[in-house]
Amino acid sequence: MEGYLKKWINIVTRWQDRYFILNDHILHYCEHQGGQSKGQIHLKVAAIILVPEDPLKIIINTGTNEIQVKASSVPEKIEWVNALKRAQERCQETIPRDCVKEVNDILTDIWVTQAAFDETLNILVPKLERQSKYVELAEKLSELGQKIKMNVTICTQLLEVEKEKLESQQSGDNQTLFQSFRNITSGIDDFNRQSSSISSSSSLSIQDILESLKYEQPIKYKNLINNPVFQKIQFTNSQIRAALPRSQDPNEKLKVWSFIKDMIGKDLSKFAVPVYFNEPLSMLQRLAENLEYYQTLIDANQEQDQWLRMCYVMGFGVSAYSSNIDRHKKPFNPILGETFEISNKQFRFVSEQVSHHPPVSAGYAESIDFEMQMQTDIKTKMSPRSMEVQPIGNVYIKLKQFNDQISYNKCTTKIQNIIFGNMYIEHIGDMVFNNYSTNDKGILTLSENHRMVGTVYDSNGQEKYKLKGLWNDSLIARNVQTGKETVVWKRYDLPQDYKNYFFFTKFALNLNLLNIDLIKQLPCTDCRLRPDQLALEYGFIDLAADEKHRLEQKQRQRRKEMQNAGQKHLPQYFELIKEPCTNEMIYKYRGNYWRKKGEGLDLF
């Protein structure tokens, strides 16, 4: 058998057409038909591995060499798999032919069924997600699909072990392949019992956790299995925490003058900041912190008074500043292509680093009540006494019940006394809220000493509500006509000993929580898998600095390789478009993350 298949080359050139020729038990490949052979694989000792996440992909691994190929269709993939296995059978004379045929028939049926299931799921889930009443059903289908894929992958891995036993039959092992295959069911049951028995208090090493992911998620396996940070940590299945693994001195004084004096007048976002200036969260997670007060948007969506709805949205808009109290450290700059996700009963959120220069993180949140589109395109500037952060662009919110399309800008943030005196944060300026469905407008002005005042106007410019409050406490809306006051937002209580944990809120404390299930489920690009950030959270400062430097060097090398190849990075889950309400260019969510997330780029 011969023909063209896509072959994985490297992270730069990725998948390229190669011409494959199957001759006896040797698979040759060349750049084009009739070309010189570029390599070969001996099937006699090879493992032929199928990938549940990609119904077109085949991995051929000899233990010392591995190639990854893709067919153009599922039928073509099945034809190649059968041809490869038949060639393998012919050169493995010690294997009983009738047993092999029976196993091959079973495996072929598994993969054909799995491919059909994948295709059906990819069509069905997006349709269900577009109808709010079926969102939970869509999530359940996706979870079941992942479990099926996991069990099929385990089955494949167990077969690899059994194949090694068969190859040693001549030295005394007389168990047949079919007999071995029959034992796989009990192996899967043992694995599932082991998984279900892991409690929140049980702990596992990274080696124990990754053992089942070696073939299913090779990039994650490679990056984490020998990483010095992950090797130092025992992971549990805790779902929530009230503290970080290691406390931090809230009165820590950094010798910043030698660093700061060289930064005056420069854009800090383009400078590699030493790790001791960071907090153990990335900008992608800071973007997610906008959702801490998601309940305020739910309240807005359920409010019949359109102008009070606007007041709730204004309360939500300013709520993000309350998490900044006494937080003077910088989040990690994400690597280009890095991602972060949250999925719970209340909402789903995904963010991606879509640009390196300028650094831009894009995020999208959705629930049955609202949608939210945002990004962190900022300018930072140093002066002798302060640092100023100027957000660029707008946040976009849709309230689903009334189809309200609302945008608002963020105000300027200043960090004062960065060199001498007590450092503190001020949020100053106007936040302008526009409802493009009703033409209502709101203006919220933040000033010194945490004060804020605002007004909501109807489409004719008449005042409907007046607002006042403190951005570190609450926002109150008063109906101009009736005088009735409504608390549209109030800050949550801070955690006990929050000063010892980078001044994080309860929400922020859990954003970088990494447990056993998440290690298995997250794509390899998720920022919770960043070793430098995790090391800082655990207090391994020197190790965090080393890993941060390594990742920065790796990112520079990848960027250089892409430039030399004339390639440009394209975001996976967001695209740059013109927003029709404001005519500004924004990174808009494509709607494909929950269906397409997988191995992704090799970043860490």
Side-chain angles (χ1 to χ4, degrees), residues 129-340:
E129 288 178 333
R130 284 196 288 269
Q131 303 183 50
S132 58
K133 61 181 178 180
Y134 293 132
V135 169
E136 290 189 9
L137 176 61
E139 292 177 354
K140 185 65 176 177
L141 278 174
S142 295
E143 290 174 6
L144 291 173
Q146 290 297 323
K147 188 171 184 179
I148 291 171
K149 292 178 183 180
M150 178 190 72
N151 284 338
V152 172
T153 303
I154 295 167
C155 179
T156 304
Q157 293 169 355
L158 289 170
L159 272 176
E160 292 303 313
V161 175
E162 299 305 321
K163 192 192 76 171
E164 292 175 6
K165 292 180 182 178
L166 284 164
E167 290 171 351
S168 63
Q169 276 184 353
Q170 292 178 331
S171 61
D173 185 356
N174 58 7
Q175 186 181 35
T176 68
L177 178 60
F178 186 64
Q179 290 169 334
S180 299
F181 183 76
R182 282 182 167 275
N183 294 330
I184 286 176
T185 303
S186 62
I188 293 176
D189 289 341
D190 290 342
F191 179 87
N192 287 337
R193 280 195 296 272
Q194 179 186 6
S195 298
S196 62
S197 66
I198 297 174
S199 68
S200 61
S201 59
S202 302
S203 63
L204 291 177
S205 69
I206 193 64
Q207 286 82 2
D208 293 333
I209 299 169
L210 293 178
E211 187 58 37
S212 63
L213 306 181
K214 184 173 183 178
Y215 298 108
E216 183 182 2
Q217 301 181 51
I219 295 176
K220 183 190 294 184
Y221 180 87
K222 173 181 69 70
N223 287 345
L224 304 188
I225 191 68
N226 294 316
N227 184 275
V229 177
F230 282 85
Q231 287 184 331
K232 290 171 69 73
I233 300 171
Q234 289 286 315
F235 296 92
T236 70
N237 239 353
S238 175
Q239 302 298 310
I240 193 169
R241 62 186 179 186
L244 296 181
R246 187 72 60 87
S247 63
Q248 176 228 15
D249 180 5
N251 299 313
E252 176 187 36
K253 298 294 184 182
L254 298 175
K255 298 179 181 179
V256 299
W257 173 243
S258 60
F259 171 75
I260 295 296
K261 67 179 181 180
D262 294 328
M263 294 306 302
I264 295 174
K266 298 181 181 179
D267 185 351
L268 188 59
S269 65
K270 297 182 179 180
F271 189 83
V273 178
V275 72
Y276 49 79
F277 281 92
N278 289 112
E279 62 180 17
L281 289 178
S282 87
M283 185 60 79
L284 297 171
Q285 291 163 313
R286 287 296 296 267
L287 200 59
E289 284 193 71
N290 285 278
L291 274 299
E292 180 166 7
Y293 292 88
Y294 67 87
Q295 182 61 47
T296 306
L297 286 183
I298 295 175
D299 294 341
N301 190 56
Q302 296 172 353
E303 177 56 55
Q304 297 296 316
D305 182 339
Q306 69 186 63
W307 301 291
L308 188 54
R309 280 204 304 275
M310 178 66 90
C311 293
Y312 276 111
V313 174
M314 294 167 75
F316 173 80
V318 79
S319 68
Y321 297 124
S322 68
S323 67
N324 294 334
I325 301 172
D326 294 322
R327 283 172 67 176
H328 307 142
K329 294 201 170 186
K330 187 179 186 295
F332 279 78
N333 280 337
I335 296 170
L336 190 61
E338 192 173 324
T339 61
F340 178 69

